[in-house]
Amino acid sequence: GDKKEKRAFASLYMGKGGKKKSVSESLVADGFAQVIRHRSDEERAENYDDLVVAETAAKAGKKGIHSTET
């Protein structure tokens, strides 16, 4: 059958008040994580577009896992 897996999602933030920063966005921006591409009918993180932008910048800057150094 075509069973859909149920998954729980959470958004984590660091900081206080107006200075909150997304943990996932920080990890992606520093090249420590990749963004999983979703189909249009799948749930996405509330900051999904920001994550994609951060990943693009990390790739361009060859940060972390995008580094060409061995």
Side-chain angles (χ1 to χ4, degrees), residues 10-53:
S11 295
L12 301 175
Y13 295 89
M14 298 182 297
K16 296 180 181 180
K19 296 189 178 198
K20 292 191 303 183
K21 188 170 185 177
S22 165
V23 173
S24 57
E25 194 173 338
S26 295
L27 290 171
V28 170
D30 289 337
F32 296 123
Q34 291 179 293
V35 179
I36 296 174
R37 300 300 189 256
H38 294 283
R39 295 188 314 248
S40 60
D41 64 335
E42 292 181 317
E43 283 189 69
R44 297 177 179 195
E46 62 187 12
N47 63 336
Y48 180 79
D49 293 336
D50 296 329
L51 292 170
V52 171
V53 169

Side-chain angles (χ1 to χ4, degrees), residues 51-69:
L51 292 170
V52 171
V53 169
E55 183 181 46
T56 300
K59 285 179 179 179
K62 299 183 185 207
K63 292 184 177 182
I65 59 175
H66 310 293
S67 172
T68 55
E69 294 180 22

